[in-house]
Amino acid sequence: MNMKKPFSLLTILLIFQGFAQAQADNADFMRSVGKMYVVYGVIVVIFVALVLFLIYLDRRLTKLENQINDQ
Amino acid sequence: MRKYWWKILGVFLIVYSFTMGLLVPLKPGIAYFEPGATQAGKAYEMTITGYNTFYTKATAAPRVWLKYDSVHMLIADRVEVLGDRQLKARFNLPGSLPTEKQVAVTSLIIDDDYNGFAVKPGSVFITADSSLQEISIGKAAWGKTEVSGVHEKDQFNFPYRVQLSETIRNLYYHVPFWFAMFIIFIAGITQSVQYLRTNNPEYDYKSMSFTMVGTLFGVIGLITGMIWAKDTWGTYWTWKEVKMNMTAIALLVYFAYFILRQSFDDDERRARISAVYSIFAFAAMIALLYVVPRMVSSLHPGSGGNPALGADDLDNSMRLVFYPAIIGWTLFGVWLTSLIYRMQMVRERIYDQ
């Protein structure tokens, strides 16, 4: 499995830039339906953070597997 | 299977906190009303928009009060139900206020048998005509009624706060990470102390794994807090909010821990110095997160002395979801810790060969 920097800093910055613009265009979106989308946003952040952590673990395990194979 | 019970419990509690936290409705409340200001001595007709309310399901028309203080209040002469979320209330305001204030801020109170009792503090501004100083008339007119026989909605729901609205649910997705982070950092520091006592490298790896998960939870807590702050305080980051900035500093101290670890080739030195460093980092975190923010004013609830778990900030319905969420995320964090630790031990074995 070869994953070379799936999330570079630039990609993340671009994603956040996109979010920021979407919000500027539609400032009331997050505040609609009793501001429920703020809660969704928070839950998405938790999920994304855990997935990023899993990707980190995955990459380190891949390195270990490669070392075992090399021996 | 027996070995996994705490992992299953942790995941169950997290799923429970997501399910309950998202499905339980908010208590009916008052979203907004207009007009927001009027004059004493005039007829005042207001339209009120409720939140999560079903005014048409009430058997009698809701009663509406304007509350000046604990003894002076005025009941609406006529209340019309326009829809589930719309009310029209008409007041005949007396010519003067009960005290000599020129402007009064009154609270709006609504009660009916289906939706229960709702208060919106600091609502209607009433200006008194300065030529009328007959306070006794005002006192008599405002003191005739009292708020009595109010109903409590007979349903399990979370409190409604105008400022927060549905984002009150973020209590289950933001705050538990700080509690879990704290517990996990305590676990990490006990492992550091164990290492310094025994020089057994296993404790060093345990300490490192706990610290890594604690830092992850801290980052999650910070980013979720930023999103909530954007909504409630109007900005993602503010230098005026001391808890936020101190947390960022504490997390930087912990980031430095991992950089420090990478800068040693000698395993024993790395283990010893990072154990000592993690103890200092923990002490710094206590000061930054739990001492400094209590000494100055903060935008966080419960600032200026007491922790944010007073009766004003957390009611019993929220405790039923909040505490399980803390336990769930702590157990989940210990699970993640054990994965990192086991990976480290495998790595050790490979390097030893």
Side-chain angles (χ1 to χ4, degrees):
Chain A
M1 202 160 91
N2 187 19
M3 301 205 315
K4 276 190 180 164
K5 296 205 175 181
F7 283 89
S8 70
L9 192 62
L10 186 69
T11 326
I12 291 173
L13 280 178
L14 282 174
I15 290 170
F16 275 108
Q17 179 75 18
F19 274 128
Q21 268 169 7
Q23 265 184 22
D25 294 343
N26 196 354
D28 275 333
F29 173 71
M30 290 294 266
R31 292 180 159 267
S32 57
V33 211
K35 308 200 273 192
M36 196 61 195
Y37 290 104
V38 179
V39 184
Y40 296 153
V42 164
I43 289 170
V44 166
V45 163
I46 296 172
F47 185 71
V48 167
L50 291 176
V51 166
L52 286 178
F53 191 75
L54 282 183
I55 290 171
Y56 163 79
L57 276 186
D58 187 316
R59 291 174 72 193
R60 283 184 61 173
L61 279 171
T62 311
K63 266 186 209 163
L64 284 183
E65 280 169 352
N66 289 342
Q67 269 165 359
I68 292 173
N69 291 338
D70 288 348
Q71 276 174 3
Chain B
M1 202 64 187
R2 271 179 104 144
K3 251 168 71 180
Y4 298 120
W5 71 269
W6 57 274
K7 298 176 188 173
I8 295 167
L9 177 67
V11 171
F12 172 78
L13 289 177
I14 291 169
V15 171
Y16 164 83
S17 80
F18 273 98
T19 319
M20 289 292 275
L22 290 173
L23 288 185
V24 172
L26 297 188
K27 208 169 250 165
I30 305 164
Y32 48 87
F33 59 88
E34 54 179 12
T38 185
Q39 275 181 331
K42 283 192 173 174
Y44 171 53
E45 194 171 65
M46 69 197 303
T47 47
I48 302 163
T49 306
Y51 189 81
N52 266 3
T53 51
F54 296 94
Y55 290 130
T56 52
K57 288 192 181 174
T59 48
R63 293 176 296 165
V64 181
W65 289 273
L66 286 181
K67 188 177 171 188
Y68 181 82
D69 58 24
S70 55
V71 284
H72 297 111
M73 51 209 79
L74 208 65
I75 192 162
D77 301 323
R78 209 180 64 220
V79 179
E80 238 180 285
V81 177
L82 302 180
D84 269 337
R85 293 191 58 198
Q86 294 278 332
L87 279 185
K88 196 168 247 181
R90 201 185 136 93
F91 291 88
N92 262 325
L93 294 178
S96 65
L97 292 170
T99 61
E100 43 199 48
K101 272 190 207 160
Q102 307 251 312
V103 180
V105 186
T106 55
S107 303
L108 182 63
I109 300 174
I110 302 179
D111 176 70
D112 69 65
D113 55 359
Y114 184 82
N115 300 294
F117 174 69
V119 184
K120 191 168 160 60
S123 292
V124 183
F125 286 72
I126 302 172
T127 36
D129 199 336
S130 52
S131 64
L132 285 167
Q133 291 292 331
E134 297 142 330
I135 294 166
S136 56
I137 296 175
K139 272 199 158 78
W142 281 82
K144 264 190 289 191
T145 52
E146 58 177 356
V147 178
S148 60
V150 293
H151 305 81
E152 196 66 49
K153 189 169 166 85
D154 188 21
Q155 192 190 348
F156 184 73
N157 39 27
F158 299 140
Y160 174 78
R161 295 275 180 283
V162 181
Q163 182 80 25
L164 294 173
S165 192
E166 301 280 353
T167 68
I168 201 164
R169 301 171 197 277
N170 277 349
L171 181 87
Y172 319 124
Y173 314 120
H174 166 66
V175 191
F177 283 99
W178 297 114
F179 282 71
M181 179 198 81
F182 190 62
I183 296 166
I184 282 169
F185 275 152
I186 289 176
I189 196 177
T190 55
Q191 303 303 313
S192 291
V193 172
Q194 282 291 314
Y195 174 78
L196 291 175
R197 280 177 56 192
T198 61
N199 272 343
N200 183 347
E202 281 183 21
Y203 290 120
D204 175 52
Y205 290 128
K206 278 185 185 163
S207 166
M208 187 279 275
S209 313
F210 274 122
T211 310
M212 187 178 275
V213 173
T215 314
L216 172 75
F217 279 9
V219 170
I220 293 178
L222 201 63
I223 299 175
T224 52
M226 277 166 69
I227 294 177
W228 201 2
K230 174 65 183 165
D231 179 73
T232 315
W233 304 335
T235 170
Y236 287 110
W237 197 273
T238 167
W239 301 111
K240 287 174 187 154
E241 167 50 40
V242 64
K243 217 172 212 174
M244 198 180 236
N245 291 291
M246 294 298 144
T247 308
I249 295 170
L251 284 179
L252 285 179
V253 170
Y254 273 103
F255 286 146
Y257 170 86
F258 295 102
I259 295 165
L260 181 82
R261 284 187 72 88
Q262 285 178 355
S263 56
F264 289 104
D265 289 329
D266 180 13
D267 282 356
E268 213 180 308
R269 270 188 62 170
R270 178 209 294 137
R272 192 150 8 96
I273 291 176
S274 51
V276 172
Y277 181 91
S278 75
I279 292 170
F280 277 106
F282 185 78
M285 188 201 67
I286 297 268
L288 290 168
L289 262 65
Y290 299 94
V291 180
V292 176
R294 281 181 175 59
M295 291 164 67
V296 293
S297 69
S298 155
L299 293 169
H300 272 96
S303 68
N306 51 2
L309 288 177
D312 292 345
D313 301 314
L314 200 62
D315 88 340
N316 283 333
S317 64
M318 304 192 80
R319 285 198 174 89
L320 270 177
V321 184
F322 178 59
Y323 292 147
I326 294 173
I327 299 168
W329 283 112
T330 308
L331 291 174
F332 191 79
V334 176
W335 186 4
L336 283 182
T337 307
S338 77
L339 290 185
I340 303 167
Y341 170 69
R342 281 155 63 189
M343 190 177 73
Q344 285 293 328
M345 294 309 281
V346 169
R347 204 180 118 146
E348 273 311 286
R349 228 171 266 176
I350 295 169
Y351 274 110
D352 282 349
Q353 276 168 8

